[in-house]
Amino acid sequence: MNASEHGFNPAFNMATIKQVVNEAIERVRMPTPMRLRDLIRQIRAARTAAEERGVVNKECAYIRSAFREGDAVWRCRNIAKLLYIHMLGYTAHFGQLECLKLIASSKFTDKRIGYLGAMLLLDERQDVHLLITNCLKNDLNSTTQFVVGLALCTLGAIASPEMARDLAGEIERLLKSPNAYVRKKAALCAFRIIKRVPELMEIFLPATRSLLSEKNHGVLITGVTLITEMCEYSPDTLNHFKKILKNLILAGYSPDHDVSGISDPFLQVKILKLLRVLGRNDVDASEAMNDILAQVATNTETSKNVGNTILYETVLSIMDIKSESGLRVLAVNILGRFLLNNDKNIRYVALNTLLRTVHVDTSAVQRHRSTILECLKDPDVSIRKRAMELSFALVNSQNIRTMMKELVAFLDKADPEFKAPCSSNIVLAAERYAPNKRWHLDTLLKVLGGAGNYIRDDVIVSTIQLISESTNQQSYMSLQLYKALSQDLMDKQPLTQVAIWAIGEYGDLLLQAEVDEDGNSPPSEEEVIEIYQRVLWSPQNTSTTKQYALMSLTKLSTRFHSTTDKIQQIISSFCSSLHIELQQRGVEYSQLFGKYTHLRASLLERMPPMEVRQSENGSNGDMEEEMRSEEPSPQHSIMKNDSNILLDLLGASDSLDVDVQSNMLNSQTISSTNNQDLLDLLGGLDTIVPSVPTSDSGIGLIMENNNGSIPSLPILNNQNSNFLNEDLISSNRVNENDVPTMLAYDKDGLKIVFSLEKIPDSNMLTVNVTASNNTLSTMTDFLFEAAVPKTFRFNILPPSGTVMQPNGQISQILKINNPNQVIIHENTYQFSNYSLLILIDSLQY
């Protein structure tokens, strides 16, 4: 046998011998570095973080010195240690260039560590990243399949858009390689490149179609993954692969890849995902795959997790495509069987999937309602959370009573993290589907008792609002809340607040309430006051609850008759409270029993029913109650009768003509909330805004405050109140003493009035600002700000004071000069955090 048969190459052998000799010399010259396993052992033996940092820093210092000295023999070992140090979270960027040197090595072991280092240490933000392109291109043309595989894996992991465009042609060529190993790696690399640069998809399209006819399992599964990604990105590609849908469905599975008796489950899952993409929003494609999906759903073994995985993907595909109704019912039944599985993970997946598909076929999911409710008792917190969310998604007008009963029982025993979202969702569901007001109120009362202090503020507001509008249930609810308040509610502050509010508003109805079903009779005034004392003096109750109680107790002084002195005594005791809010309320409310006792009855009248939006689904209550709520209240009638009197008081009824008065009366709106205008003092009328044609007067006045509503704009003392254009500017005024006034602001007890006066024979306009405090508290730090266009000269004199006592006033003078006689277009007066905007069409001196 000659040397050629052994592949003998003298040149190759001489080069190898020379390399071995050089490496031996380097080993003698350089000390042997620590092995990777020894470094791992030392780091794991460290008892403290400081000791671990010491070991790492010492080794990093040695690796740096070896890199500086150009140690090529141990470079592979040093990079391996550096990668482990990098995985622990320490800095290892100084090894990037050394990774490139290993990649350029001819030894496979060096390339393997070098490419691994490149994937871990490099990204497209590093300049070194650009140097690796040529190395990748050379290795992609290597004759060794494992070297090509390393290059493909690295390219898929760290490819930048520029690198992907440069090497996309090489990937497309390797997709046609006769080597199955290379084709599999190339398909995965193409998948990653398409995710980075979707426009390169067309390059791989011709070579991808042949991947579906592959016999090799690895190439086929990667080909399906690549096609799925391409179909999700491009509608054209989607239509292209729909033509081979039948071939894909009828393709056989490899028996060599069975798992627990299931033929090739990984490939089945990939194909089901592709079918889901191909059939989405396509009736014809969905019809073509209905039979095969039904076969998979009925013939797959469910005793193993492998079969459950395939069934899960089948369900997702059925619910995502345009499948038949019977097939969707089959999919939901599969999820129902999952709910009965002992594996917690499978139950969680079933609940999560049902939550995503409940809106597709609600009736099919409703069949498993009892099983879903049983999951509320599961010890696993994740399952309980998903079951709660799904239960609320199933609530409708037919099952509202049954579902609320189960959910309220769940709320009573739920963990604190569930109480807030569960209570809010119960309130929303009850508001939407409640069969009548009595049931609705009872449900909210149970929620307040079950959720305790974990209730959100929206539940308190919703309950108060419902009690307010349910006029024929107020007596019943006040008695029920009194019964709840009689118990120890230390851990149920929201319930205490609602109960106190209701008793304060409807205390007279509480004393006249009928005996309820449980035999509870109405209390006496003394019993109610005793409970208030317990609430106010209990250290467990919050400051907010005590503020509710003080306000409610003050209101009871007008509902009760024999305990007024006791109420006054309790309220007065808080005038020296250490809590500033309680002290302020005690002082203010005490004034209503002394100097301002004549105002107490009118100030503490019962609140009008709060406005609520009617639910879109049904009446949400008794029809009789709704019809009664639509009847005009006595207060409404009084306000209508007093409208002319109010206009007389404002000085407008005699001066305005019939048409203007008609427009003003037609613009009135009766508000059920606390009105904020001047007319509130005389009966609760809302804003009156006269319609003043801008074509006749040349003036438009727009006044805005912070809540977007338009406050009243009374025009006094002149029928054709064009005072900004004629009366103020013209020196020929009929009556110099007739000074126009304008209500600029009236909200939260603060009233600001402008009195405008034109100085004769000058370009000066004087604005007298009068601010009044109509509250029972002192206003401090009064500051009025104003602004005018730059062409004007503006002088604002100091105010008469900065503190307004109750019923006190502060005055201030503004002087505006228009020396150039320009037209005023816009003046903005700002005070506090509100603004008054005056738009003037034409005003010239």
Side-chain angles (χ1 to χ4, degrees), residues 64 110 153 197 205 220 275 307 362 378 395 428 430 486 570 589 594 603 689 739 834:
R64 281 193 179 93
D110 288 349
C153 290
V197 191
L205 189 58
L220 181 59
L275 291 179
T362 307
D378 195 280
V395 175
L428 292 176
S486 302
I570 296 173
Y589 298 158
L603 288 175
V689 182
V739 180
Y834 305 95

Side-chain angles (χ1 to χ4, degrees), residues 254-307:
S254 172
D256 298 332
H257 298 88
D258 285 0
V259 178
S260 300
I262 306 297
S263 299
D264 211 345
F266 293 99
L267 181 58
Q268 286 195 56
V269 168
K270 293 289 184 182
I271 292 176
L272 287 170
K273 289 182 178 179
L274 179 55
L275 291 179
R276 184 158 69 246
V277 175
L278 296 176
R280 188 177 299 156
N281 298 324
D282 191 320
V283 177
D284 296 334
S286 300
E287 185 178 356
M289 63 181 72
N290 275 336
D291 292 340
I292 188 66
L293 290 175
Q295 292 179 18
V296 174
T298 54
N299 297 331
T300 303
E301 179 63 36
T302 60
S303 59
K304 304 287 185 177
N305 271 349
V306 179

Side-chain angles (χ1 to χ4, degrees), residues 17 25 45 172 193 335 355 359 468 594 700 706 711 730 742 805:
I17 293 172
I25 295 174
E172 190 271 339
I193 287 178
L335 295 176
L355 188 60
H359 302 293
S468 173
N706 69 320
S730 175
M742 180 172 61
Q805 299 295 333

Side-chain angles (χ1 to χ4, degrees), residues 151-163:
L152 288 171
C153 290
T154 306
L155 179 60
I158 65 173
S160 64
E162 294 78 12
M163 185 184 297

